Amino acid sequence: MYEAVREAGLRIPEDFSVVGFDDTEMAGWAAPRLTTVRQPLFRMGQEAVRMIVDNHHGRPMLTTTPVRLSTRLVVRDSAAPPR
């Protein structure tokens, strides 16, 4: 995305805001540093294991109630308010 924006003669974040997902370590290395959405990966893993164990013990793994985990916006330099 960064390269396509530059090739179009635009600038991040002055002309085009970019927001990523997962907040990998590389997000902080990008120029400008990438604003991202951070997911609770450890908690997601815990919930997955719980579902597998429940299924193993004969409890239904899929429920009608979704598991909702909060995310967090990590604001860095790649996004700006609209002009």
Side-chain angles (χ1 to χ4, degrees), residues 12-72:
I12 300 170
E14 292 85 354
D15 303 310
F16 201 92
S17 288
V18 179
V19 178
F21 207 82
D22 283 344
D23 195 31
T24 63
E25 188 174 332
M26 291 189 315
W29 299 346
R33 296 175 316 134
L34 181 63
T35 295
T36 61
V37 176
R38 180 177 293 161
Q39 298 184 90
L41 298 177
F42 184 81
R43 185 79 174 99
M44 289 166 67
Q46 285 179 315
E47 284 298 318
V49 169
R50 182 191 58 76
M51 289 177 183
I52 292 167
V53 170
D54 283 352
N55 187 55
H56 177 74
H57 291 293
R59 294 183 291 270
M61 186 166 64
L62 300 176
T63 67
T64 57
T65 305
V67 175
R68 297 186 193 277
L69 302 174
S70 62
T71 58
R72 186 168 73 90

